[in-house]
């Protein structure tokens, strides 16, 4: 394990590995160990010693941080200034069965997001600038501190979500937003999956600025808020903002959705806890032996996918992003071909295998297989930034 204390030291290590033609695994806090396909490398390089907040002026709502900085440290600094990362990065430790501290570089390398993703964007949409070391051991800066400075902006977006296959992130600059002063979650109880999808679609078609929309079937409902949600499946809708605005919008939403069924409200404390549990996929924590899929599909098709699969496989599922994100835990076999086949038949999307036994990970592609054109383009990009194929070989299939 290499743990460089500076970007210069990291560049030297990478340069030496490149000259020797010896691949290396790139990690942060290693809390997402198991993501992607198995990495074929005999050593690892961690960014965790590259730690510290470089600059942060709350008035500018921009933060620059070394990539190995614990995400908890970033969140603590933001909380003190009553600001937040709008994309709500999830903590994968519980579902992946890992320990340690997630790093902010890992958040952006995996393009992590949470329930607010469908209105606020993913991690990459908040990323303004980066520093990273490429596969030749060269330190590169891309982007800047404001969006109008587009120098290297495409490179910034490219590194986000590359899972350490294109370079070692050493520093990130990203925008933050104020924490909404008020929050409430409306809970509609007892809806079947299809009806819940219709209710969420009706809510999202309004101008009421819904910042969270999820459906928790009865099979998982009791695993949230210590089982304190009302009886029956729970369809949950979050409103945030100024207190008076939240109250007015809440009343309008209740009127709009009255025909769907019984409604209750969760105030700020319970609401925050619920959405953190949705963010971190709480129902499927502690089941390391069961394959876990993260499926992105059109919101109107998510319940159809689950219904079709339930006829042929043992699965459990719940829905985020208005139904466009389906968290799906399989009882035994991951059923990759079956799942991806149904996704294609329902208009397309993608399925990522987040968790599975080692023998499964060796045979089932974790990421959606690329077509010939996409594969060729990915190979060209990889060769430009990492010509020796040094970083995380095999993780994304290239």
């Amino acid at each position: 394990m290499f743990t460089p204390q500076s970007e210069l030291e990291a560049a030297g290590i990478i340069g030496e590995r490149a000259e020797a033609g010896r691949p290396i695994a790139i990690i942060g806090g290693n809390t997402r160990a198991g993501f992607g396909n198995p990495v074929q490398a005999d050593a690892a390089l961690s960014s965790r010693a590259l730690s510290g907040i470089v600059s942060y002026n709350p008035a500018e709502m921009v933060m620059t941080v070394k990539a190995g900085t614990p995400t908890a440290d970033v969140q603590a600094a933001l909380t003190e200034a009553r600001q937040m990362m709008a994309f709500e990065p999830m903590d994968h430790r519980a579902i992946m069965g890992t320990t340690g501290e997630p790093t902010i570089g890992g958040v952006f390398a995996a393009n992590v997001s949470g329930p607010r993703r469908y209105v606020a964007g993913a991690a990459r949409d908040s990323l303004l600038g980066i520093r990273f070391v490429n596969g030749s051991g060269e330190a590169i800066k891309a982007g800047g501190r404001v969006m109008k400075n587009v120098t290297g902006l495409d490179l910034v977006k490219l590194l986000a979500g590359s899972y350490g296959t294109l370079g070692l992130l050493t520093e990130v600059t990203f925008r933050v937003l104020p924490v909404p002063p008020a929050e409430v979650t409306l809970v509609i109880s007892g809806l079947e999956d299809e009806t819940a999808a219709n209710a969420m679609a009706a809510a999202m078609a309004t101008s009421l600025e819904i910042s969270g929309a999820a459906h928790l079937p009865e099979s998982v409902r009791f695993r949230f808020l210590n089982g304190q949600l009302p009886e029956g499946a729970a369809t949950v809708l979050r409103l945030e903002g100024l207190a008076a605005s939240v109250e007015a919008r809440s009343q309008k939403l209740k009127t709009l959705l009255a025909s769907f069924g019984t409604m209750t409200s969760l105030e700020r404390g319970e609401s925050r806890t619920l959405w953190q549990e949705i963010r971190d996929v709480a129902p499927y924590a502690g089941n390391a032996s069961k394959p876990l899929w993260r499926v992105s599909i059109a919101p109107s098709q998510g319940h159809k996918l689950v219904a079709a699969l339930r006829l042929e496989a043992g699965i459990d599922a719940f829905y985020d992003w208005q139904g466009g994100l389906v968290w799906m835990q399989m009882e035994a076999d991951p059923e990759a071909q079956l799942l991806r086949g149904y996704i294609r038949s329902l208009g397309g999307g993608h399925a990522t295998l987040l968790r599975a036994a080692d023998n499964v990970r060796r045979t089932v592609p974790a990421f959606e297989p690329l077509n010939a054109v996409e594969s060729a383009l990915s190979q060209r990009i990889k060769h430009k930034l990492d010509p020796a194929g040094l970083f995380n070989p095999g993780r994304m299939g290239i």
Side-chain angles (χ1 to χ4, degrees), residues 187-204 206 215 233-235 237 252-264:
V187 183
I188 312 172
S189 299
L191 303 187
E192 297 294 331
D193 290 8
E194 182 176 0
T195 308
N198 293 334
M200 290 188 289
M204 296 305 300
T206 71
H215 178 61
T235 306
L237 301 162
K252 290 180 180 179
L253 191 57
K254 287 178 180 178
T255 300
L256 173 72
L257 301 178
S259 63
F260 283 96
T262 303
M263 272 181 278
T264 54

Side-chain angles (χ1 to χ4, degrees), residues 14 22 41 62 91 94 101 105 140 151 191 239 247 261 303 307 384:
I14 290 168
R22 300 181 64 187
V62 173
D91 185 340
E101 286 293 327
I140 296 173
T151 304
L191 303 187
L239 296 163
E247 175 62 25
H303 67 279
K384 288 291 184 181

Side-chain angles (χ1 to χ4, degrees), residues 53-337:
I53 296 174
V54 177
S55 65
Y56 173 44
N57 182 344
E60 295 179 348
M61 294 192 291
V62 173
M63 178 181 273
T64 298
V65 190
K66 292 183 180 179
T69 307
T71 305
D73 291 357
V74 174
Q75 290 174 327
L78 291 172
T79 298
E80 186 176 351
R82 303 185 71 176
Q83 293 184 339
M84 66 177 184
M85 291 179 276
F87 52 91
E88 289 182 290
M90 73 176 288
D91 185 340
H92 288 84
R93 285 175 291 187
I95 61 169
M96 300 303 294
T98 56
T99 58
E101 286 293 327
T103 64
I104 193 66
V107 166
F108 286 104
N111 194 33
V112 179
S113 58
R116 204 182 284 110
R117 158 72 175 84
Y118 73 107
V119 291
R124 66 159 53 94
D125 298 298
S126 292
L127 192 59
L128 302 175
I130 57 173
R131 290 185 64 90
F132 72 99
V133 179
N134 69 9
S136 300
E138 301 167 326
I140 296 173
K141 178 181 179 181
R145 287 180 56 83
V146 293
M147 280 303 245
K148 66 181 180 181
N149 180 357
V150 296
T151 304
L153 188 60
D154 288 345
L155 198 55
V156 171
K157 304 298 187 190
L158 192 62
L159 266 287
S162 64
Y163 290 84
T165 61
L166 299 179
L168 169 71
L169 285 174
T170 59
E171 184 179 284
V172 292
T173 297
F174 54 96
R175 67 172 181 267
V176 299
L177 291 176
V179 173
E183 173 181 333
V184 68
T185 293
L186 298 184
V187 183
I188 312 172
S189 299
L191 303 187
E192 297 294 331
D193 290 8
E194 182 176 0
T195 308
N198 293 334
M200 290 188 289
M204 296 305 300
T206 71
S207 59
L208 297 177
E209 298 179 7
I210 314 296
S211 68
H215 178 61
L216 318 174
E218 179 63 20
S219 62
V220 300
R221 184 268 310 167
F222 67 95
R223 297 175 187 162
F224 292 95
L225 291 182
N226 292 317
Q228 296 305 303
L229 284 170
E231 290 295 322
T235 306
V236 293
L237 301 162
R238 180 175 60 184
L239 296 163
E240 298 175 298
L242 297 174
S245 171
V246 169
E247 175 62 25
R249 285 150 52 211
S250 175
Q251 291 304 318
K252 290 180 180 179
L253 191 57
K254 287 178 180 178
T255 300
L256 173 72
L257 301 178
S259 63
F260 283 96
T262 303
M263 272 181 278
T264 54
S265 297
L266 302 177
E267 299 305 321
R268 190 179 185 92
E270 285 189 318
S271 177
R272 281 190 169 185
T273 299
L274 174 65
W275 289 99
Q276 286 172 0
E277 291 174 345
I278 292 171
R279 179 196 72 184
D280 296 341
V281 196
Y284 304 142
N287 290 316
S289 63
K290 295 184 177 181
L292 179 65
W293 290 96
R294 180 183 185 275
V295 178
S296 180
I297 194 168
S300 61
Q301 302 299 313
H303 67 279
K304 297 178 184 178
L305 173 66
V306 172
L309 286 169
R310 280 180 173 152
L311 296 175
E312 302 188 55
I315 72 166
D316 192 25
F318 74 91
Y319 310 82
D320 198 358
W321 302 358
Q322 193 197 327
L325 174 62
V326 185
W327 290 103
M328 187 179 300
Q329 180 174 271
M330 315 302 285
E331 289 301 312
D333 193 284
E335 302 286 1
Q337 290 187 341

